[in-house]
Amino acid sequence: MITSDDELDAKLRQLFADDRLGGLQPKEGAGETIVAGARRRRNRRKTMTAAGGVAMASVLVVGGVTFAKVQERDTQAAMSTAASQAAASGAAPESTGGGGTALPAPPGQTSQSNSAPLTTSTTQKTTPTTAAKPDGPTKIMTGSLLGHSGLGNLTLGMTEAQLTAAGIIFAKESGTTCAFGKVTKVTGQVGDIRIYLSETAGVTAILPASSHTPEGVGTGSTVEDVGTIYKVPTNGQLPSVNLGTTSYEFALSNSKVKSVVLKANNRQGCG
């Protein structure tokens, strides 16, 4: 292999002087021209080789920088994903010794950290207790609502003609001038209702089988509750409760209200 321009020049001159050329002699200056051309081609190859090396080196440098950036971006993306998963699960990301955030360990490997081991807390169930009954009387709100002047469309003082006009049917069971009997078709009626009907005073008393007053006294109320609600002394018994022109009277059974009766204060001896 020819390693220098001088060696190439010597080889070419030796070739031109070779006897095997049959005495042929190149033109004057031809040798110099050939040697110069050979030198140019040799220099061109060196230049191309050098340029190729520089280009290759540039490619390697650029590729290395690009790979480093891609690797850094992938690392940051992985760290961000790990932090997001830890935040979504409510757990803190694992901490590395250098203050950074460690990526989750691959499957089959155990992630080591300096954090304390997780502990499982056991919450004891408590059995709810029934609230104590508040102080005060128990109010009854079952049965027909027996107001201070009547029940539904049935009111004290109504005549038999007025009962019929209101659509109430009266079935007399006893009496003449002071009749006693059962009424039906009364609005708000619950169970049987009986009345006293005077020829001169109209309806003087209403006796529902099951009822309660607007204040909450009714079938099942205790004597104490009635005395507390209406502020009357009881002594084991219940007096009538005066409402002005009407009154409540209570029928008792085993110290509890069995029924409530609404009466007109001016009954004229009926009921």
Side-chain angles (χ1 to χ4, degrees), residues 153 158-168:
N153 58 344
M158 292 179 72
T159 65
E160 186 171 3
Q162 290 174 328
L163 292 175
T164 302
I168 300 173

CSV table of all heavy atoms in Angstrom, one decimal, residues 153 158-168:
chain,number,residue,atom,x,y,z
A,153,ASN,N,-118.5,17.3,60.2
A,153,ASN,CA,-119.6,18.1,59.8
A,153,ASN,C,-120.7,18.0,60.9
A,153,ASN,O,-121.8,18.5,60.7
A,153,ASN,CB,-120.2,17.8,58.4
A,153,ASN,CG,-120.5,16.3,58.3
A,153,ASN,OD1,-120.2,15.5,59.1
A,153,ASN,ND2,-121.3,16.0,57.2
A,158,MET,N,-127.0,21.1,66.5
A,158,MET,CA,-127.7,20.8,65.2
A,158,MET,C,-129.0,20.1,65.5
A,158,MET,O,-129.1,19.2,66.4
A,158,MET,CB,-126.8,19.9,64.3
A,158,MET,CG,-125.6,20.6,63.8
A,158,MET,SD,-124.6,19.5,62.7
A,158,MET,CE,-125.6,19.4,61.3
A,159,THR,N,-130.1,20.5,64.8
A,159,THR,CA,-131.4,19.8,64.9
A,159,THR,C,-131.4,18.6,64.0
A,159,THR,O,-130.5,18.4,63.2
A,159,THR,CB,-132.5,20.8,64.5
A,159,THR,OG1,-132.3,21.1,63.1
A,159,THR,CG2,-132.5,22.1,65.3
A,160,GLU,N,-132.4,17.8,64.1
A,160,GLU,CA,-132.5,16.6,63.3
A,160,GLU,C,-132.6,17.0,61.8
A,160,GLU,O,-132.1,16.4,60.9
A,160,GLU,CB,-133.7,15.8,63.7
A,160,GLU,CG,-133.8,14.4,62.9
A,160,GLU,CD,-134.9,13.5,63.5
A,160,GLU,OE1,-135.6,13.9,64.4
A,160,GLU,OE2,-135.0,12.4,63.0
A,161,ALA,N,-133.3,18.1,61.5
A,161,ALA,CA,-133.5,18.6,60.1
A,161,ALA,C,-132.1,19.0,59.6
A,161,ALA,O,-131.7,18.8,58.4
A,161,ALA,CB,-134.5,19.8,60.0
A,162,GLN,N,-131.3,19.7,60.4
A,162,GLN,CA,-130.0,20.1,60.0
A,162,GLN,C,-129.0,18.9,59.8
A,162,GLN,O,-128.2,18.9,58.9
A,162,GLN,CB,-129.4,21.0,61.1
A,162,GLN,CG,-130.1,22.4,61.1
A,162,GLN,CD,-129.6,23.2,62.2
A,162,GLN,OE1,-129.2,22.7,63.3
A,162,GLN,NE2,-129.6,24.6,62.1
A,163,LEU,N,-129.2,17.8,60.6
A,163,LEU,CA,-128.4,16.6,60.4
A,163,LEU,C,-128.7,16.0,59.0
A,163,LEU,O,-127.8,15.7,58.3
A,163,LEU,CB,-128.7,15.6,61.5
A,163,LEU,CG,-128.3,15.9,62.9
A,163,LEU,CD1,-128.8,14.8,63.9
A,163,LEU,CD2,-126.8,16.0,63.0
A,164,THR,N,-130.0,16.0,58.7
A,164,THR,CA,-130.4,15.4,57.4
A,164,THR,C,-129.9,16.3,56.2
A,164,THR,O,-129.4,15.8,55.2
A,164,THR,CB,-131.9,15.3,57.3
A,164,THR,OG1,-132.4,14.5,58.4
A,164,THR,CG2,-132.4,14.7,56.0
A,165,ALA,N,-129.9,17.6,56.4
A,165,ALA,CA,-129.4,18.5,55.3
A,165,ALA,C,-127.9,18.3,55.2
A,165,ALA,O,-127.4,18.5,54.0
A,165,ALA,CB,-129.8,19.9,55.7
A,166,ALA,N,-127.2,18.0,56.2
A,166,ALA,CA,-125.7,17.8,56.1
A,166,ALA,C,-125.3,16.4,55.6
A,166,ALA,O,-124.2,16.2,55.4
A,166,ALA,CB,-125.1,18.0,57.5
A,167,GLY,N,-126.4,15.6,55.3
A,167,GLY,CA,-126.1,14.3,54.8
A,167,GLY,C,-125.8,13.2,55.9
A,167,GLY,O,-125.4,12.1,55.6
A,168,ILE,N,-126.0,13.6,57.1
A,168,ILE,CA,-125.8,12.7,58.3
A,168,ILE,C,-127.1,11.9,58.5
A,168,ILE,O,-128.2,12.5,58.6
A,168,ILE,CB,-125.4,13.5,59.5
A,168,ILE,CG1,-124.1,14.3,59.2
A,168,ILE,CG2,-125.2,12.6,60.7
A,168,ILE,CD1,-123.7,15.2,60.4
